């Protein structure tokens, strides 16, 4: 076995330092890893040890395998659950015309999204290193010179991820001012909110840099807050459904499907909102190189997280529309806040819930920073962007890619403060969403391509449904195109001055411009210097194809 997939376990007592271990023959290292793994425990609580006090496993790249099942699930929940489920059901129901049709669309979008997530799990077990879709696309679409993966590497690491971080940190403080009764700050202190967001983002980034364990602990805490908040809403919905709590008189459920309107505009607008409410499960793929026991924990975390959220989302919708008639929905207020006001009183709806949502959004930022640093790290390590030696460097003490994380932090600050208030910043938020649909589609189709090209790949320890992968890919591609379709009007929502087609158009133009650095890097630079920037793709596949069963067991993931 070569060093690509070789795990190293931190040395204990007589084993010497990690640097010394790296200089030994790999056969000795892997045998030592096997010996030390006997009796070890796959602990899911970073920093909490079992009866055998073992340090975290360290990969050949120097990253520590700290992420267990619960933390992997927390990374998924942390990215998926933001403010969407507390507001999106209102617009979806208004677009559909009836809560029954809205529930059906929530269920369909959840099942299809689960198919996409499990397809990503299959690819993650095949290529168990950090990078997620960047790495998967490089293997699935190798010609011409990894064009697809390169475009994603540039567009996501230098634009989509830092812009998404900026968009979230800019709004999280709004919920705390709302809870404090200072709505005037939300309307008039735009740059104050951004400054608070910048401070919060900086503190979270410092934590991400200096401690993987404490970063995971905080991610876990944010995930618990999100789940508890959703459980309160969802369990109330269950009690309403079985009659344990008296429903508010209304016509939501008694009308059945009468009044359903699902024209092309309404369907396109509803599905766009729905799929973005499920988006975020791909984040765990960016850190898969730090997940313990990948063949078990990656598919299980994706399946558990997405299935649990699907149940909670459905019951949350039941709760909302068992209490609030469609005609009483106030699109100027969070649907969840309206619900809490009616069931639990104004303190829950106007104070506690906004604080929980603010913390939920902060959890999204934490998850984006954690995965974003690994994205930038992979983009440099794999040669897609220049200065790979620096970007791919792991701090010897902290075990984190601090240079890559610093660049993500700096870019996020630029996107946070550069756009002026109003339509320009809203356009930035929309732009973040546009290109990702095409990358999701290509990744889903990549599952099918690699199943045909590498049918007996030894590290494929999990097989997803190709039917669901195809459906997810087709729908994702369609959603990318639907951004150019005129959106449906929603009662109570103001029409933006910016043309609806501007954001998707700029997104496509930006992705096309990413072909310029691809040409300069993969053709001009590579041809001039003779450097084989993409040889690692074939090397990874060939090494795995030559593995024996003992090698795979020894790998331990």
């Amino acid at each position: 076995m070569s060093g690509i997939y070789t795990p190293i376990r931190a040395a204990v007592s007589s084993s010497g330092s990690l640097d010394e271990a790296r200089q030994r023959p790999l056969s000795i290292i892997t045998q030592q890893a096997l010996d030390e793994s006997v009796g070890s425990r796959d602990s899911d609580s970073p920093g909490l040890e079992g009866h055998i006090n073992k340090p975290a496993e360290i990969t050949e790249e120097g990253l520590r395998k700290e992420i267990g099942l619960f933390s992997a699930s927390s990374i998924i929940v942390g990215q998926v659950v933001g403010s969407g489920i507390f507001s999106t059901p209102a617009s979806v129901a208004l677009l559909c015309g009836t809560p029954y049709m809205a529930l059906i669309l929530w269920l369909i979008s959840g099942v299809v999204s689960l198919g996409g997530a499990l397809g990503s799990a299959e690819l993650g077990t095949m290529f168990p290193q950090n990078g997620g879709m960047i790495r998967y696309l490089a293997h699935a679409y190798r010609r011409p010179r990894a064009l697809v993966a390169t475009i994603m590497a540039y567009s996501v690491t230098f634009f989509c991820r830092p812009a998404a971080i900026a968009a979230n940190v800019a709004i999280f403080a709004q919920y705390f001012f709302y809870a404090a009764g200072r709505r005037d700050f939300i309307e008039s202190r735009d740059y104050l909110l951004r400054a608070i967001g910048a401070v919060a983002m900086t503190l979270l980034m410092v934590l991400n840099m200096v401690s993987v364990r404490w970063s995971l602990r905080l991610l876990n805490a944010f995930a618990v807050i999100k789940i508890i908040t959703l459980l309160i809403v969802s369990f109330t919905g269950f009690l309403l459904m079985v009659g344990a709590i008296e429903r508010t008189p209304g016509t939501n459920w008694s009308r059945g499907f009468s009044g359903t309107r699902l024209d092309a505009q309404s369907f396109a607008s509803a599905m766009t909102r729905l799929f973005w409410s499920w988006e975020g499960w791909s984040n765990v793929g960016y850190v898969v190189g730090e997940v313990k026991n990948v063949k078990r924990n990656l598919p299980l975390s994706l399946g558990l997280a997405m299935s649990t959220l699907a149940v909670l989302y459905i019951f949350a919708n039941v709760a909302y529309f068992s209490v609030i008639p469609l005609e009483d929905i106030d699109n100027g207020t969070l649907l969840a806040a309206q619900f809490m006001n009616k069931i639990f009183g104004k303190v829950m709806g106007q104070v506690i819930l906004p604080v929980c949502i603010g913390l939920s959004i902060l959890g999204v930022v934490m998850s984006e920073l954690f995965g974003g640093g690994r994205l930038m790290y992979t983009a440099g390590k794999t040669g897609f962007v220049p200065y790979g030696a620096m970007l791919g460097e792991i701090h010897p003490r902290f075990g984190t890619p601090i240079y890559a994380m610093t660049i993500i932090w700096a870019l996020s600050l630029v996107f946070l403060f550069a756009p002026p208030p109003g339509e320009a910043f809203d356009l930035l938020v929309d732009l973040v969403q546009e290109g990702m649909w095409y990358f999701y589609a290509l990744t889903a189709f990549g599952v099918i391509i690699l199943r045909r090209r590498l049918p007996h790949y030894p590290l494929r320890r999990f097989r997803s449904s190709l039917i669901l992968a195809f459906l997810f890919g087709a729908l994702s591609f369609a959603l990318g195109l639907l951004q150019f379709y005129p959106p449906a009007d929603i009662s109570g929502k103001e029409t933006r001055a910016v043309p609806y087609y501007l954001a998707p158009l700029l997104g496509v133009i930006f992705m096309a411009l990413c072909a310029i650095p691809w040409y300069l890097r993969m053709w001009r630079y590579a041809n001039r210097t003779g450097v084989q920037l993409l040889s690692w793709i074939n090397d990874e596949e060939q090494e795995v194809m030559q593995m024996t069963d003992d090698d795979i067991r020894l790998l331990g993931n």
Side-chain angles (χ1 to χ4, degrees):
M1 294 175 63
S2 69
I4 296 178
Y5 287 98
T6 305
I8 307 175
R9 189 170 292 276
V12 188
S13 61
S14 61
S15 301
S17 69
L18 176 61
D19 289 336
E20 292 170 347
R22 285 198 181 109
Q23 297 171 5
R24 297 174 189 163
L26 288 176
S27 58
I28 298 176
I29 296 173
T30 52
Q31 183 59 51
Q32 177 183 338
L34 179 62
D35 293 339
E36 292 185 2
S37 66
V38 177
S40 66
R41 173 182 158 185
D42 182 21
S43 172
D44 191 34
S45 302
L48 301 179
E49 288 127 13
H51 5 281
I52 299 181
N53 187 9
K54 293 291 183 183
E57 182 181 294
I58 299 180
T59 68
E60 184 73 9
E61 300 168 300
L63 294 165
R64 299 168 184 166
K65 284 183 172 285
E66 302 271 14
I67 303 174
L69 176 59
F70 185 76
S71 293
S73 301
S74 296
I75 291 171
I76 299 164
V77 172
Q79 187 78 18
V80 174
V81 182
S83 60
I85 186 57
F86 304 110
S87 58
T88 301
S91 57
V92 171
L94 290 173
L95 286 165
C96 296
T98 59
Y100 275 114
M101 180 54 68
L103 284 177
I104 290 174
L105 293 185
W106 274 100
L107 185 61
I108 292 173
S109 62
V111 171
V112 175
S113 295
L114 177 62
L118 295 179
S120 179
E122 176 175 333
L123 296 175
T125 62
M126 292 176 66
F127 311 107
Q129 290 179 288
N130 282 357
M133 287 194 290
I134 291 179
R135 191 174 296 274
Y136 310 155
L137 293 172
H139 284 280
Y141 306 97
R142 294 185 295 178
R143 297 183 180 86
R145 298 198 183 185
L147 172 63
V148 174
T150 306
I151 288 177
M152 184 195 170
Y154 278 92
S155 60
V156 175
T157 56
F158 290 98
F159 178 74
C160 290
R161 180 50 62 100
I165 294 170
N168 280 307
V169 298
I171 64 171
F172 98 91
Q174 293 182 12
Y175 291 93
F176 293 94
F177 283 121
Y178 181 92
R182 297 305 304 267
R183 300 190 189 186
D184 55 315
F185 275 60
I186 299 175
E187 298 170 358
S188 61
R189 306 293 180 89
D190 182 84
Y191 281 103
L192 173 62
L193 297 176
R194 298 194 201 191
I196 294 172
V199 172
M201 179 183 68
T202 301
L203 293 175
L204 292 177
M205 180 57 86
V206 170
L207 180 62
N208 269 290
M209 288 179 175
V210 301
S211 177
V212 175
R213 287 185 176 183
W214 279 102
S215 297
L216 291 174
R217 284 170 175 163
L218 187 57
L219 273 169
N220 293 344
F222 281 133
V224 169
I225 292 171
K226 294 168 189 269
I227 293 297
I228 290 175
T229 306
L230 271 176
L231 276 172
I232 293 172
V233 176
S234 302
F235 187 64
T236 306
F238 174 76
L239 294 177
L240 287 163
M241 188 174 65
V242 298
I245 297 178
E246 186 177 352
R247 295 181 184 179
T248 303
T251 59
N252 283 346
W253 304 116
S254 61
R255 74 178 68 185
F257 289 95
S258 177
T260 297
R261 58 178 186 278
L262 212 58
D263 54 274
Q265 279 184 302
S266 298
F267 179 77
S269 298
M271 293 306 287
T272 299
R273 287 166 170 79
L274 285 166
F275 272 91
W276 273 117
S277 295
W278 296 108
E279 195 275 336
W281 44 262
S282 60
N283 203 48
V284 73
Y286 302 140
V287 300
V288 71
E290 297 165 67
V291 175
K292 306 172 188 176
N293 194 5
V294 171
K295 68 178 180 181
R296 169 185 176 269
N297 288 338
L298 183 61
L300 196 55
S301 63
L302 283 162
L304 283 175
M306 295 296 287
S307 299
T308 300
L309 291 178
V311 173
L312 295 178
Y313 278 15
I314 294 296
F315 278 122
N317 275 269
V318 170
Y320 295 148
F321 298 114
S322 295
V323 174
I324 306 169
L326 280 181
E327 53 270 17
D328 291 345
I329 289 177
D330 177 9
N331 265 326
T333 304
L334 281 173
L335 182 62
Q338 278 189 273
F339 169 80
M340 290 291 196
N341 284 341
K342 287 200 172 189
I343 295 294
F344 301 107
K346 290 187 176 181
V347 172
M348 279 291 289
Q350 297 182 14
V351 178
I352 296 177
L353 179 68
V355 169
C356 290
I357 295 176
L359 292 174
S360 178
I361 294 173
L362 206 58
V364 174
V365 174
M366 182 67 177
S367 183
E368 288 173 334
L369 289 171
F370 193 86
R374 274 67 178 177
L375 266 174
M376 183 67 74
Y377 159 83
T378 301
K381 192 77 174 177
T382 52
F384 287 121
V385 301
Y387 304 105
M390 180 191 71
L391 293 175
E393 185 174 338
I394 300 298
H395 193 279
R397 178 181 175 186
F398 302 135
T400 58
I402 58 171
Y403 296 113
M405 298 174 83
T406 300
I407 293 176
I408 287 289
W409 169 80
L411 288 171
S412 300
L413 283 179
V414 171
F415 285 113
L416 181 60
F417 288 105
E423 293 289 344
F425 198 87
D426 293 338
L427 181 63
L428 173 66
V429 175
D430 290 341
L431 272 171
V432 171
Q433 305 178 6
E434 304 309 327
M436 291 304 298
W437 289 124
Y438 304 111
F439 295 128
Y440 281 131
L442 289 169
T443 302
F445 294 142
V447 176
I448 302 172
I449 291 171
L450 290 172
R451 190 79 70 85
R452 291 177 62 87
R453 187 168 68 81
L454 301 171
H456 306 295
Y457 200 69
L459 287 187
R460 184 189 281 112
R461 274 78 53 83
F462 173 79
R463 288 178 177 265
S464 60
S465 167
L466 293 185
I467 295 176
L468 285 179
F470 177 80
L471 285 175
F472 179 78
L475 274 174
S476 295
F477 190 76
L479 286 170
L481 296 178
L482 285 174
Q483 307 306 305
F484 293 95
Y485 197 78
D489 293 327
I490 302 177
S491 175
K493 289 285 187 181
E494 294 183 5
T495 303
R496 290 185 179 179
V498 176
Y500 69 89
Y501 55 81
L502 184 59
L505 180 61
L506 290 176
V508 170
I509 291 173
F510 180 80
M511 286 191 296
L513 290 175
C514 288
I516 296 175
W518 166 76
Y519 168 75
L520 294 176
R521 181 79 175 156
M522 297 302 175
W523 286 89
R524 188 172 179 181
Y525 173 78
N527 291 345
R528 188 179 73 248
T529 62
V531 176
Q532 299 297 315
L533 292 172
L534 299 174
S535 59
W536 61 269
I537 300 174
N538 186 65
D539 291 345
E540 282 187 356
E541 294 179 4
Q542 291 303 312
E543 178 186 14
V544 171
M545 293 301 292
Q546 295 170 11
M547 282 183 176
T548 64
D549 291 340
D550 289 339
D551 291 333
I552 296 172
R553 284 194 295 270
L554 180 60
L555 188 60
N557 59 13

